[in-house]
């Protein structure tokens, strides 16, 4: 019955809830029938079957050993042939590495660089440039270098803080004009976008593993598993009021890797 | 009549009667807990059937297009062809959403049944000689099942699956020496690279299913050959099997189970929403869905990533980043221990005998204690994978939840192990039918009994 219903329903375009219910009734009916059949109408045990030991008899083992080793004894210089075979297979294995190499480009310096360059204008994801008037104190914007809004490794959070209550880190005094701070948006733990900003405490949260970064202290991690601060992008305001990058990030963005320098700020 | 003629036709060509006679009369022991592995098997069958259907409609492409399908809220939104094809399966293909959700639920059930089955095997000592090979195959099936679950839910290219891939990429990067190369070769470049979805599909529908199917066949063939183990009881010995015959009783019940599981999965696929990718939206590199939890079988890894303290190794211009420890070392250790367990136990218990009769958990208090300890630890990690949701529900700071779970993860398993160890000893010594029937005295007077055992053993050896 339900199977017929299902067929009709398909014909008329279907509706997931009813489809699911009909599948349940149709298959469940068959299931119930089979189980009741098995439980009540079929021969009930217990039946007993003997179990042989898992190992073979000594004669069988002996016979196998004779077959296996005798056939090899006929061949002279067995070790030499064996080594030749191993060498051939090894060479084939090495040769097989080269096609695998085509699966991806060499890492090279790509993890050390982003699309930010000296003088890159900050633009929103729709490509419009950001001026120094665009963000209120306490506001946040996700920005990219102009012409590279699809460069995932260049995504950056632009936050404006009150310049009076903020003291830049030594060496970064000129990086934050008019209270504009820009940090890489890629979490240094596992690479998620650090998207949540709590204005009252000036902290950035990563929604994936709950790392917390202190915006006023160079995006230093204060809680969660992250070990490294978010890299900071040095900013400047040009003559027309547009925000620009002074350079690329001075360290690799995103999660750590083996040869990432290891000497980034603690 | 006609069946007889068909049977004759085949027997004339295959001489199959003798084998079939033995096969149909093969005896399988009855116990509800022996059904867990069957559930996993039938979940796999459902996965293959529903998955094949989905393959006809899925488009493994990262090419960006503008959506014009029937789901109104996303019309005009730019998205990958992969994501658009999943929307099409969900809204335009007949029965598509039901089969998609059945497939997802079946994957969750598949791994859950494997874990339950594995725990049954562990606590009853069914992994002991001669069944070590099947234990190894079983652990491999668990590993492949988890991995293929991940490749499956990473393919739709929605915001949640993109987050999972991003974390997987970061974990690959964290591997010492070769991490950057591994990540670049697997993903085809720096994240998010274009090739990954096609590669996921090939792994998900060709390589993994072939391996899984092959190993399942081997698992069953070895089970068949070795004959199923059984619990001790009247008339049951190390050299016999007591139970139902394969045909017709066992076959009917087992087929009934298959239809029952498919029925339940069908109902879940139709009535219970899972992975509603249209709500998450398409993947965008600068966005993330929150809260973001993986499917349950990867929750323990997610929890480990969240609980592991902010610590890593940095020296001589190189680093071993934080995710390496919870997400590479921990799983390697976990599966290493699982693979090694039958051999470790055989070594430390000095027991290399063949066992066809199963243990009850009480027969081996130390094993039971270690098993419950591991279970508690991974359950806590799974819980920690949702620390943000717990914090929100309890209205407490997430950092506090993390710290409580860190402390619990290190203390509670030990506590549970101690309780399990003492209760199993008490159970064994009082010979009570269940834990609730154990008199309190059994917990206290454990030493007397042990001493009398020892003196008996001494007497025996003197004789």
């Amino acid at each position: 019955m339900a199977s017929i219903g299902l067929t009709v329903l398909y014909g008329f375009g279907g509706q997931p809830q009813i489809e699911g219910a009909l599948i349940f009734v149709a298959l469940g009916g068959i299931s119930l029938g089979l189980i009741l059949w098995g439980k009540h109408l079929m021969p009930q045990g217990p039946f007993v079957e003997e179990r042989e030991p898992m190992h073979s008899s000594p004669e069988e083992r002996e016979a196998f050993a004779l077959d296996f080793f005798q056939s090899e004894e006929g061949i002279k210089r067995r070790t030499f042939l064996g080594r030749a075979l191993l060498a051939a297979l090894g060479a084939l294995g090495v040769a097989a590495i080269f096609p695998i190499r085509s699966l991806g480009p060499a890492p090279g310096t790509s993890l050390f660089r982003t699309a930010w360059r000296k003088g890159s204008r900050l633009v929103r994801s729709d490509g419009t440039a950001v001026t120094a008037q665009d963000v209120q104190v306490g506001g946040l914007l996700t920005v990219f270098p102009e012409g590279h809004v699809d460069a995932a490794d260049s995504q950056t959070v632009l936050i404006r803080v009150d310049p009076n209550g903020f003291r830049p880190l030594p060496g970064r005094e000129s990086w934050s004009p008019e209270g504009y701070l820009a940090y890489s948006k890629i979490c240094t733990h596992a690479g998620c976008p650090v998207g949540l900003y709590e204005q009252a405490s000036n902290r950035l949260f990563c929604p994936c593993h709950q790392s917390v970064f202190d915006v006023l202290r160079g995006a230093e991690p204060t809680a969660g598993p992250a070990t490294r601060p978010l890299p900071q992008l040095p900013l400047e305001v040009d003559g027309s009021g547009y925000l620009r990058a002074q350079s690329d990030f001075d360290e690799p963005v995103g999660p750590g890797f083996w040869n990432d320098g290891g000497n980034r700020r603690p | 009549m006609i069946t007889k003629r068909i049977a004759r036709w085949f027997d004339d060509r295959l001489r199959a009667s003798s084998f079939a006679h033995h096969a149909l009369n093969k005896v399988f022991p009855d116990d509800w807990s022996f059904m867990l592995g069957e559930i996993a098997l039938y979940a796999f069958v459902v996965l293959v059937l529903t998955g094949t259907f989905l393959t006809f409609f899925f488009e493994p492409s990262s090419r960006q297009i503008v959506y014009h399908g029937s789901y109104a809220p996303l019309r005009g939104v730019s998205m990958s062809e992969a994501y658009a094809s999943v929307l099409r399966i969900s809204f335009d293909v007949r029965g598509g959403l039901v089969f998609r959700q059945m497939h997802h639920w079946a994957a969750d059930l598949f791994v859950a049944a494997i874990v339950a089955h594995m725990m049954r095997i562990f606590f009853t000592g069914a992994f002991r000689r001669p069944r070590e090979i099947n234990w190894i195959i079983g652990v491999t099936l668990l590993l492949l099942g988890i991995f293929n679950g991940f490749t499956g839910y990473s393919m739709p290219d929605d915001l949640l699956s993109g987050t999972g891939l991003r974390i997987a990429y970061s974990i690959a990067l964290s591997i010492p020496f070769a991490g950057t190369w591994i990540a670049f070769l697997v993903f085809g470049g720096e994240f998010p690279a274009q090739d990954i979805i096609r590669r996921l599909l090939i792994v998900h529908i060709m390589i993994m299913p072939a391996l899984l199917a092959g190993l399942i066949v081997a698992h069953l063939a070895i089970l068949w050959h070795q004959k199923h183990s059984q619990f001790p009881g009247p008339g049951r010995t190390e050299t016999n099997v007591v139970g139902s015959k394969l045909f017709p009783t066992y076959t009917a019940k087992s087929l009934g189970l298959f239809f029952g599981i498919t029925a339940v999965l069908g109902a879940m696929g139709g009535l219970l929403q899972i992975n509603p990718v249209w709500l998450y939206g398409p993947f965008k590199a600068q966005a993330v869905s929150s809260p973001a939890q993986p499917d349950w079988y990867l929750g323990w890894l997610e929890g480990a990533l969240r609980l592991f303290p902010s610590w890593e190794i940095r020296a001589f211009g190189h680093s071993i980043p934080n995710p390496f420890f919870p997400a590479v070392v921990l799983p390697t250790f976990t599966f290493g221990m699982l693979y090694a367990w039958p051999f470790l136990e055989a070594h430390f218990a000095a027991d290399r005998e063949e066992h066809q009769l199963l243990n009850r958990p009480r027969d081996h208090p130390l094993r039971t204690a270690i098993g419950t300890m591991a279970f508690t630890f991974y359950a806590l990690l799974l819980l920690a994978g949702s620390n943000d949701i717990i914090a929100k529900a309890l209205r407490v700071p997430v950092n506090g939840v993390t710290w409580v779970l860190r402390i619990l993860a290190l203390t509670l398993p030990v506590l549970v192990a101690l309780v399990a160890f003492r209760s199993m000893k008490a159970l064994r010594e009082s010979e009570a039918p269940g834990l609730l029937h154990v008199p309190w005295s059994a917990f206290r007077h454990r030493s007397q009994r042990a001493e009398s055992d020892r003196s008996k053993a001494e007497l025996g050896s003197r004789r």
Side-chain angles (χ1 to χ4, degrees), chain A residues 19 31 43 47 49-52 103 152-153 155 185 190-191 207-208 210 225-228 256-258 260-262, chain B residues 27 98 166 170 190 192 199 227-228 239-243 249 256 285-286 288 306 310 312 314 317-319 322 356 387:
Chain A
E19 279 168 17
S31 162
F47 299 97
E49 191 182 1
E50 289 309 307
R51 214 189 259 280
E52 314 81 51
L103 284 173
D153 64 352
Q155 52 179 303
K185 197 178 176 181
C208 284
Q210 283 73 49
T227 51
R228 306 146 184 244
F257 49 96
W258 172 247
D260 60 8
Chain B
V27 172
V98 176
R166 192 196 304 270
S170 304
E190 191 177 353
R199 290 178 186 180
K227 297 198 171 84
H228 204 288
T239 57
N240 71 4
V241 194
V242 181
T249 317
Q286 71 271 30
V288 64
R306 291 179 187 212
S310 61
E312 66 185 12
R314 264 178 257 164
H318 292 286
S319 36
N322 177 289
Q356 305 292 357
N387 61 353

Side-chain angles (χ1 to χ4, degrees), chain B residues 376-446:
Chain B
T376 313
F377 178 67
Y378 290 102
L380 281 169
L381 288 187
L382 175 61
L383 203 63
S386 298
N387 61 353
D388 51 340
I389 294 176
I390 297 170
K392 206 175 220 176
L394 300 178
R395 297 176 189 204
V396 290
V398 70
N399 201 24
V401 176
T402 304
W403 269 106
V404 169
L405 285 169
R406 275 174 183 164
I407 292 163
L408 279 181
L410 294 180
T411 54
L412 194 61
V414 180
L415 200 68
V416 168
L418 286 174
V419 171
F421 187 73
R422 290 299 292 271
S423 344
M424 289 306 123
K425 283 222 139 162
L427 257 177
R428 188 170 66 173
E429 277 149 28
S430 68
E431 283 159 13
L435 205 51
L436 293 176
H437 301 277
V438 179
W440 266 112
S441 55
F443 284 94
R444 279 184 272 122
H445 299 298
R446 69 200 166 91

